[in-house]
Amino acid sequence: EKSLPLSAVQEKCIQKGLNPRIWLNDGYRLLFRDIARNDDTRTLICCLAPSGYVSSYDTPMIVPEVAGNLIKPSLAYVCGLLNSFAFDFLIRPFVDKHIKGYVLKRLPIPSYTPENNVIERISELSLETAALSTELMRGLTESSNQYRQLRAKLDALVAHYLKLNLYELNVVLESFTSLREQEKLSYGEFISANLIREEFSKLTTLVNA
């Protein structure tokens, strides 16, 4: 195995204009897939990686400039937004073969404010989804239905947070034609969209109650 001394990594960060205190912290990192096409089932795919993991050229890393104990929830919040259908819908027209930082800059990502209950819930759901996804990959659970339901709750909450109405949400969901046809073939319905609509209706009912 090859490794570099911490001092060398710190120096490299400084050369690139990156704050070593932020980029070498012990918290989570946000990774996103670089190679992508706008006619894939999903274009924008992100994940949370714990400390000790590194990313390759094809999976760039994002670390927020926030204080210690806010790094994990703020990253989870951003990950939840970027993995949503709504943000995928926004970025797809600008993606050909790669997603670079300048492409992500097109996305109107609201600032992370932990005092906002909806933002905190997005962060919590994102962390729950990430944890369950890890369990599924490691074979610790087979609850793919629970994972799909969590994703639907997160997507519905993001749509609600962005103040989409049901018509606008349907426009977003139905634009993912490859995924729709794939799920109809596998499940007989566009299951992701249907679950999101159900969760969105629950949120709308609560607001209007």
Side-chain angles (χ1 to χ4, degrees):
E1 294 184 4
K2 294 182 179 180
S3 61
L4 289 173
L6 179 60
S7 58
V9 180
Q10 290 173 331
E11 183 179 347
K12 194 69 174 178
C13 283
I14 293 171
Q15 289 175 359
K16 290 183 171 294
L18 304 174
N19 187 335
R21 182 182 61 80
I22 295 172
W23 285 81
L24 301 179
N25 68 69
D26 293 329
Y28 276 64
R29 279 93 168 103
L30 176 63
L31 308 180
F32 64 92
R33 184 181 68 169
D34 173 14
I35 299 175
R37 297 171 301 181
N38 56 22
D39 58 351
D40 287 340
T41 53
R42 295 298 299 267
T43 299
L44 185 55
I45 299 175
C46 302
C47 73
L48 293 173
S51 60
Y53 288 80
V54 295
S55 60
S56 68
Y57 175 79
D58 292 333
T59 50
M61 181 173 73
I62 297 175
V63 177
E65 294 187 4
V66 295
N69 62 353
L70 291 181
I71 289 177
K72 185 175 178 179
S74 64
L75 273 179
Y77 160 70
V78 175
C79 186
L81 294 182
L82 296 184
N83 273 333
S84 70
F85 280 95
F87 275 81
D88 200 329
F89 175 83
L90 289 174
I91 205 172
R92 284 174 87 99
F94 306 103
V95 175
D96 180 15
K97 296 178 181 178
H98 298 276
I99 297 178
K100 299 296 185 183
Y102 66 86
V103 178
L104 288 180
K105 282 185 177 180
R106 291 181 173 273
L107 295 173
I109 301 175
S111 299
Y112 172 73
T113 51
E115 300 80 13
N116 186 306
N117 292 333
V118 177
I119 286 177
E120 276 300 277
R121 185 56 182 152
I122 289 173
S123 177
E124 290 169 2
L125 282 172
S126 182
L127 286 171
E128 288 179 41
T129 304
L132 188 56
S133 175
T134 300
E135 290 181 6
L136 284 166
M137 286 189 296
R138 292 178 177 174
L140 301 176
T141 180
E142 296 181 357
S143 186
S144 55
N145 288 336
Q146 184 184 354
Y147 175 74
R148 194 178 291 114
Q149 195 70 50
L150 271 176
R151 286 292 300 263
K153 287 183 178 181
L154 182 55
D155 260 296
L157 189 57
V158 171
H160 172 70
Y161 176 50
L162 297 177
K163 295 182 168 51
L164 299 185
N165 57 39
L166 184 56
Y167 172 78
E168 292 166 334
L169 177 60
N170 282 329
V171 169
V172 168
L173 295 173
E174 292 300 326
S175 71
F176 291 83
T177 53
S178 296
L179 181 61
R180 182 184 64 205
E181 296 311 309
Q182 185 183 90
E183 290 196 350
K184 282 186 175 180
L185 190 61
S186 299
Y187 307 106
E189 61 173 313
F190 191 1
I191 189 169
S192 295
N194 290 340
L195 287 173
I196 292 168
R197 291 185 187 106
E198 287 177 17
E199 293 297 332
F200 187 77
S201 296
K202 292 176 187 176
L203 291 172
T204 305
T205 302
L206 285 173
V207 170
N208 295 331

